[in-house]
Amino acid sequence: MFIAYAVVAAILALAISASAFLTLTRNADVIESMTKLGVPGPWLPWLGTAKAAGAVGLLAGLVVAPLGTAAAVGVALYFAGAVVTHIRAKDYAMAPAVVLTLVAVAAAVLRITSA
C-alpha cells in the first residue's frame, strides 16, 4: 500500500504544484476562471499557497505518515470546496476539481492503510 500511496501522492503533488504555480503567477486562464467563479483577486496568493503546502505535505508524508494523511485530507477539502464554488456559480466545467478531490481521498486512504 505504501508504494501505491507514493505513486498517487507524487502524481497529485505534481498536479497541484503546477496549479499552484499558475495561480501564484496569475496565469490569464486561471484569472479568467476565478473571475467567472466569483473568487476575489486578493484570494489568489492564499489559494496558491494552500495548494503548494498540500503538495509539500503529500511528499513529506512519504516520511511522516500523519503529515501525509493530513495533507491528503486538506487537499481533498480544498478541491471539494472548489467543486462547491463551481456549483454555486452554476459553472459545471468542474471535472478537474472532482478528479483531484477523488485522487486526494484515495491518497488519504492509501496513507492511512499503509501506516
Side-chain angles (χ1 to χ4, degrees):
M1 291 303 233
F2 177 76
I3 293 172
Y5 169 75
V7 170
V8 170
I11 292 169
L12 183 58
L14 179 64
I16 62 176
S17 293
S19 180
F21 175 78
L22 292 173
T23 302
L24 291 170
T25 59
R26 295 184 177 264
N27 176 277
D29 292 334
V30 172
I31 298 295
E32 180 184 338
S33 176
M34 294 290 193
T35 301
K36 185 167 88 171
L37 295 173
V39 176
W43 288 17
L44 293 179
W46 295 104
L47 296 173
T49 302
K51 289 182 218 179
V56 170
L58 286 166
L59 296 178
L62 295 170
V63 179
V64 182
L67 184 56
T69 302
V73 169
V75 170
L77 291 172
Y78 178 95
F79 284 104
V83 170
V84 170
T85 301
H86 278 273
I87 292 169
R88 290 184 68 175
K90 295 182 177 35
D91 174 35
Y92 300 107
M94 65 181 109
V98 171
V99 169
L100 290 170
T101 301
L102 295 174
V103 173
V105 169
V109 170
L110 287 169
R111 192 60 187 126
I112 290 167
T113 59
S114 67

